[in-house]
Amino acid sequence: MSAEPVSTSAQRALAELIHASRRMVVFTGAGVSTESGIPDFRSPGGVWSRMKPIYFQEFVASEDKRREAWTRAFSGVAGWVGAEPNAGHRAVAKLAAEGKCSAVITQNVDNLHQDAGVPAHQVIELHGNASYAACLDCGLRHELADLKGPFLERGEIPACRSCSGLVKTAVVSFGQPMPEAAMARAEEEALACDLFLVLGSSLVVYPAAGFPLMARRNGAALVIVNREPTEQDGYATLVLHEEIGPLMSAVVGVN
């Protein structure tokens, strides 16, 4: 009898780990969203190889940099928003709906987990969200649709409608502090889970990449699904180098 294909046995192993889990956490990186056409940040041909990032300090200090940042945001040149969730997102949403997944910790800024049906309160965004803006002073949320017309038609750089403070897309920029509340929640979830499932992250960007190891050292099973090997593969319970959408749709049962 011929040996069972690795992909089939690996799918079964992942399905068994998910079935046995009572509280799992899903951790997602760019590899989930590239299957929806969202470009990667750091890989060759990615966003930062095509345009220089605007640092947080530059945005705050320079009107020209703020104007450049908003020009990019409204032109969609980064390609971070406007895509549709794929089978990977839908599989994660199903796990959340079934009560299997307590939280989705994501490095992505594209809002696709929420678009797929994961309740917003269960999505922990480590790098913010590109689908809306926020005041840097009072934190008030601003919808991009409300800011776009005045900027494109009259060149008005967005300011807070409440306190007149600087308004910026809700993405965490280079040089901007990581969101304390999100980091604290991510740590809490990593320490409370019995299965930590990594989908599409190279696990090289810290402090975010510390959460899988935190969960593993606390006794959780660790599964890493990524196209390329990661530095944490040696710590994992199971490693799968497969496309996320097809794998997760087969394991969870979504289209």
Side-chain angles (χ1 to χ4, degrees):
M1 181 179 292
S2 61
E4 185 180 33
V6 173
S7 60
T8 303
S9 60
Q11 287 177 16
R12 183 175 294 118
L14 175 55
E16 290 173 353
L17 285 168
I18 291 175
H19 178 74
S21 172
R22 301 189 66 178
R23 184 185 178 113
M24 70 179 291
V25 165
V26 176
F27 178 96
T28 63
V32 169
S33 293
T34 54
E35 294 180 23
S36 285
I38 299 285
D40 193 354
F41 288 93
R42 296 171 179 82
S43 64
V47 173
W48 300 137
S49 68
R50 294 185 283 107
M51 61 182 182
K52 182 180 178 182
I54 296 173
Y55 279 71
F56 180 69
Q57 293 80 1
E58 294 177 312
F59 182 93
V60 171
S62 167
E63 180 177 326
D64 287 343
K65 288 296 183 181
R66 290 196 290 277
R67 188 173 299 280
E68 182 181 351
W70 283 110
T71 299
R72 290 182 183 183
F74 292 131
S75 71
V77 65
W80 289 337
V81 293
E84 296 293 327
N86 61 55
H89 296 107
R90 291 191 292 274
V92 173
K94 183 177 179 182
L95 290 170
E98 292 174 345
K100 181 67 71 172
C101 173
S102 64
V104 179
I105 304 171
T106 186
Q107 297 173 289
N108 300 331
V109 299
D110 48 42
N111 206 66
L112 290 182
H113 286 301
Q114 294 93 320
D115 291 343
V118 180
H121 71 272
Q122 286 185 257
V123 182
I124 303 173
E125 294 172 319
L126 301 181
H127 297 158
N129 190 309
S131 70
Y132 64 92
C135 176
L136 295 179
D137 291 335
C138 72
L140 182 67
R141 175 170 170 149
H142 294 254
E143 302 305 324
L144 297 183
D146 297 333
L147 306 176
K148 186 174 183 177
F151 180 81
L152 295 181
E153 295 165 14
R154 299 187 295 276
E156 293 180 11
I157 296 177
C160 182
R161 63 179 181 273
S162 176
C163 74
S164 300
L166 296 179
V167 172
K168 176 184 166 296
T169 58
V171 174
V172 177
S173 299
F174 285 94
Q176 187 172 2
M178 295 290 284
E180 293 182 6
M183 294 296 290
R185 281 191 62 206
E187 179 174 343
E188 181 180 315
E189 290 289 345
L191 292 174
C193 73
D194 58 14
L195 171 60
F196 196 99
L197 173 60
V198 177
L199 298 177
S201 176
S202 57
L203 300 178
V204 296
V205 179
Y206 285 84
F211 293 122
L213 291 179
M214 183 184 298
R216 184 71 177 124
R217 289 166 179 160
N218 200 49
L222 173 60
V223 177
I224 299 175
V225 182
N226 196 54
R227 284 185 184 179
E228 305 296 331
T230 78
E231 294 179 355
Q232 297 187 23
D233 286 2
Y235 300 96
T237 310
L238 178 66
V239 176
L240 299 169
H241 298 305
E242 304 216 18
E243 296 292 319
I244 295 163
L247 171 68
M248 292 302 296
S249 62
V251 169
V252 178
V254 296
N255 296 323

